[in-house]
Amino acid sequence: AEDTPLVARLFAEAVHEAGIPAGVFNLVTGLGPVAGQALAEHPGVDLVSFTGSTAVGRQIAAIAAGQVKKVALELGGKSANVILPTADLAKAVNVGVANVMSNSGQTCSAWTRMLVHRDQYDEAVGLAATAAAKYGERIGPVVNAKQQVRVRGYIEKGVAEGARLVAGGPEAPREKGYFVSPTVFADVTPDMTIAQEEIFGPVLSILRYEDEEDALRIANGTVYGLAGAVWAGDEAEAVAFARRMETGQVDINGGRFNPLAPFGGYKQSGVGRELGVHGLAEYLQTKSLQF
């Protein structure tokens, strides 16, 4: 991302110190519409791998299509954290809130929709509000002023559309810095903007479901499909539900991220996979030699 170039510079230094031959890895910094577009259009580039927003991913895919060039796109998400009635509710809610607040909410795979059974809903909302309050002094700023305005705008839209604020809000928690209050919404319905669009900030929406089929319908009811989570008292129950979710990765009962496993999305969350063997395969071509 053009707002965070120093991470890439550090990686380039590590590549150099590791002794990788010059030219195997090259770093070009610049703005997306300038440097990014030049790389995507260049005839010497055989594949464009992009991580970022779905909107920019569409532009890159269009450029690549003009040259019949392969793309690997890891784009936006609106991941569902489904808490089934048999789950450890307190653990599922607390881990779910932590997941959303990590990196100040700027994580494409964050579980920004928490789905809770109607009989446990009020308890879950209380737990989430308490958990979010603990992040008030700990959470860092978002990346820039534009993103702060964007996230606060979504919070205001949530209030305007009838969601109930139980933690945080649109007001900046500090006078200086691009800070956004850790925010939790209750009484969110699947059609609300905050339940459909990626906010990319520390904002959690809690939705109520009637039964398992209703939960599945809500979980699958966005244009995204990057990640998600399922919690249940029985692992097999959680796995059965996870297999029906239209998403590229699902954590079972708080399962830890595995960098050897393929990572990528369904639907408008992307094309192709990163990490593991599948991630390497994106960069390979298949050739047949026949005698």
Side-chain angles (χ1 to χ4, degrees):
E2 57 207 32
D3 291 300
T4 59
L6 295 182
V7 173
R9 288 292 300 270
L10 287 170
F11 181 76
E13 290 174 11
V15 167
H16 175 70
E17 291 174 8
I20 293 175
V24 174
F25 172 87
N26 298 286
L27 173 65
V28 179
T29 57
L31 301 179
V34 181
Q37 184 158 346
L39 286 168
E41 291 177 339
H42 198 286
V45 174
D46 297 320
L47 177 145
V48 181
S49 176
F50 171 74
T51 299
S53 71
T54 297
V56 176
R58 286 195 192 97
Q59 296 175 23
I60 290 173
I63 293 170
Q67 300 181 29
V68 195
K69 183 180 296 187
K70 190 176 180 183
V71 295
L73 305 173
E74 196 271 277
L75 308 175
K78 195 69 185 174
S79 302
N81 179 19
V82 182
I83 304 175
L84 297 176
T86 58
D88 180 334
L89 184 66
K91 181 179 180 181
V93 170
N94 281 293
V95 173
V97 170
N99 177 278
V100 174
M101 301 307 161
S102 176
N103 204 34
S104 303
Q106 300 166 122
T107 308
C108 53
S109 56
W111 310 334
T112 51
R113 295 181 298 146
M114 182 179 290
L115 278 55
V116 185
H117 189 271
R118 61 181 182 182
D119 294 341
Q120 299 174 316
Y121 189 80
D122 290 340
E123 183 182 356
V125 168
L127 289 167
T130 300
K134 297 175 182 177
Y135 288 88
E137 295 299 319
R138 295 164 52 193
I139 198 165
V142 294
V143 70
N144 56 27
K146 181 181 177 181
Q147 185 64 14
Q148 183 192 39
V149 171
R150 169 188 163 89
V151 176
R152 290 170 66 183
Y154 271 110
I155 296 172
E156 290 170 353
K157 197 156 194 173
V159 173
E161 292 184 0
R164 175 167 55 98
L165 269 175
V166 295
E171 297 79 16
R174 305 181 190 180
E175 290 186 12
K176 294 183 178 180
Y178 308 130
F179 290 90
V180 177
S181 293
T183 299
V184 177
F185 278 105
D187 301 337
V188 179
T189 57
D191 59 325
M192 289 182 180
T193 304
I194 57 172
Q196 288 292 323
E197 297 184 11
E198 183 177 44
I199 298 172
F200 220 61
V203 182
L204 171 65
S205 296
I206 309 180
L207 297 90
R208 182 187 286 104
Y209 69 83
E210 297 294 316
D211 54 30
E212 194 169 298
E213 290 305 314
D214 189 37
L216 185 68
R217 177 185 62 81
I218 295 170
N220 290 340
T222 75
V223 297
Y224 297 110
L226 184 57
V230 181
W231 301 78
D234 178 66
E235 185 177 289
E237 178 188 5
V239 169
F241 188 95
R243 290 188 183 282
R244 301 167 69 194
M245 293 175 71
E246 297 171 352
T247 189
Q249 182 180 77
V250 185
D251 289 358
I252 304 297
N253 287 334
R256 305 186 75 173
F257 184 78
N258 180 4
L260 297 179
F263 178 78
Y266 288 23
K267 299 188 281 189
Q268 292 186 26
S269 284
V271 177
R273 292 294 181 269
E274 298 177 347
L275 306 180
V277 174
H278 291 78
L280 292 174
E282 293 292 332
Y283 294 86
L284 304 180
Q285 288 274 31
T286 301
K287 178 183 290 185
S288 296
L289 301 181
Q290 302 183 86
F291 298 89

